[in-house]
Amino acid sequence: MGKPSPNVWATLQKKRWPLMILLVLSVSTVGMILVRSTFDSCSVSGKMCGRLVVDKDQSSDVKIRSVSGSMNPLGFMKSKLVLLVSHELSLSGGPLLLMELAFLLRGVDCEVVWITNQKPVEADEVIKVLEHKMLDRGVQVISAKSQKAIDIALKSDLVVLNTAVAGKWLDPVLKDNVPKVLPKILWWIHEMRGHYFKPDLVKHLPFVAGAMIDSHATAEYWKNRTHDRLGIKMPKTYVVHLGNSKELMEVAEDSFAKKVLREQVRESLGVRNEDILFGIINSVSRGKGQDLFLRAFHESLNIIKETKKLQVPTIHAVVVGSDMSAQTKFETELRNFVQGRKLQKVVHFVNKTMKVAPYLAAIDVLVQNSQARGECFGRITIEAMAFKLPVLGTAAGGTMEIVVNRTTGLLHNAGKDGVLPLAANIVKLATNMDMRRTMGEKGYERVKEMFLEHHMSHRIASVLREVLQHAKIHSRTTNSDH
């Protein structure tokens, strides 16, 4: 895509919106996927983060309040030492979410240390960029297998294991020290796949302070699966729905910014303003259902063509998260399907990009087509709803806790059985502008009520308080035994 026209730049500069400029530029950025605006929200330790200021009172805690006067629920984490353990450092959902937690904690002057258990042998540019972002914001990054990692695990107030795979770090590194660390571990689980239920991954799960899971559906699945397959009991489990960042909401609620982004993206794709654009925004993989979405989209075109009474503008589909450089079999299948059905003019592939906001501004409907048990939560869903987009989602997993069927969107079955219903729902929304607008408005209202950053911060804060209390009690018990 070419650069924005001089008029666009002039208008943006007059409005003094550097974030908007960054987002416009990011439309053509290739090679990274779904890094959210949170990375740009916090400055290095000791400076203001998210416009927070410190307000001391007579209590032992330091209360952190925003300039609007509202208290930051994570203020009690000031000066605490937290170790974050990620199974990998990549642009997938789990590591990015853990990084978001790191920056929220840094915002209240918590000492945060990050370790990545699995790193590629060769140098990786994505890892370098992400580590640099963390270091810039005062997050310490150390080797997962170092003596320093062991020392910090032992003296930390809290250890967060991110994803089930992070359990691989415990025994090889901590060894005899594992029992000392378990009582202060919060295990944050995002997976909904059966192959994670292996003893070498989760054998310590019953003995940690707690498990934090993104949706009730996933929590129930883990409870049943660990019992039935492994014969173990889950620890105290907390369901914490995620929330949109302040930066994303600023863009979503700014009509000028959205207009500019919409025009830029649509121009790059060859989509007119009056056309209707359905978008699926996920890393391209069979589990995300891009193949079934394209089949449903093709079927919807046939329905429209065969139903002469339907007056529908040209409809397009965009698949955001593509990576032809990887040359995967699945990616090739998608391209071959589009070519074989002669859909090249109305189906567009967009490479992995650093920002989702431009594409949320550009599309008219989000398709969340994750398969099998669905998404654990699906952050892109609440982001789309913030942009007042209706959602066509699979009736599975955390999506059912976000999307209210026939109110904020329409749900369809996962698998091949969902192709025709999804096609019918595409036609329904393509032919009914009022329905799209009403569902979008209802979705936005739901986000404002339930899925904002401060909602997530309050939910996480209540969990951290309990886990810290658990660790403190266990520490006293251990010391008294000695």
Side-chain angles (χ1 to χ4, degrees), residues 266 271 275-280 289-306 312-319 334 337-339 341-349 363-367 369 392 412 416 418-430:
R266 285 182 167 240
V271 178
D275 295 342
I276 301 173
L277 182 57
F278 291 78
I280 185 167
Q290 286 91 351
D291 54 340
L292 299 180
F293 164 58
L294 290 179
R295 292 182 184 279
F297 180 76
H298 179 246
E299 189 63 36
S300 71
L301 294 178
N302 290 336
I303 294 172
I304 292 170
K305 185 177 180 180
E306 293 169 3
V312 187
T314 303
I315 65 172
H316 293 252
V318 59
V319 178
L334 298 181
F337 178 85
V338 170
Q339 187 173 359
R341 271 61 174 187
K342 296 181 172 56
L343 299 174
Q344 297 96 319
K345 291 184 178 181
V346 292
V347 175
H348 315 274
F349 292 91
I363 65 178
D364 298 293
V365 179
L366 178 82
V367 179
N369 205 41
L392 299 181
H412 57 276
K416 294 179 180 178
V419 170
L420 289 180
L422 174 55
N425 289 341
I426 290 173
V427 174
K428 186 177 293 185
L429 289 186

Side-chain angles (χ1 to χ4, degrees), residues 213-270:
I213 299 182
D214 303 337
S215 66
H216 293 282
T218 310
E220 189 66 18
Y221 176 69
W222 271 84
K223 176 184 176 182
N224 295 334
R225 190 83 180 206
T226 50
H227 177 270
D228 297 343
R229 183 164 178 171
L230 300 177
I232 64 176
K233 184 179 180 181
M234 288 287 289
K236 186 168 184 178
T237 301
Y238 307 88
V239 173
V240 174
H241 287 150
L242 309 181
N244 286 330
S245 70
K246 295 176 183 177
E247 290 72 26
L248 182 125
M249 293 303 298
E250 286 176 4
V251 181
E253 293 173 336
D254 194 313
S255 58
F256 173 80
K258 288 196 295 184
K259 182 176 184 294
V260 172
L261 296 176
R262 180 181 177 89
E263 290 174 354
Q264 291 292 324
V265 172
R266 285 182 167 240
E267 182 182 350
S268 73
L269 299 177

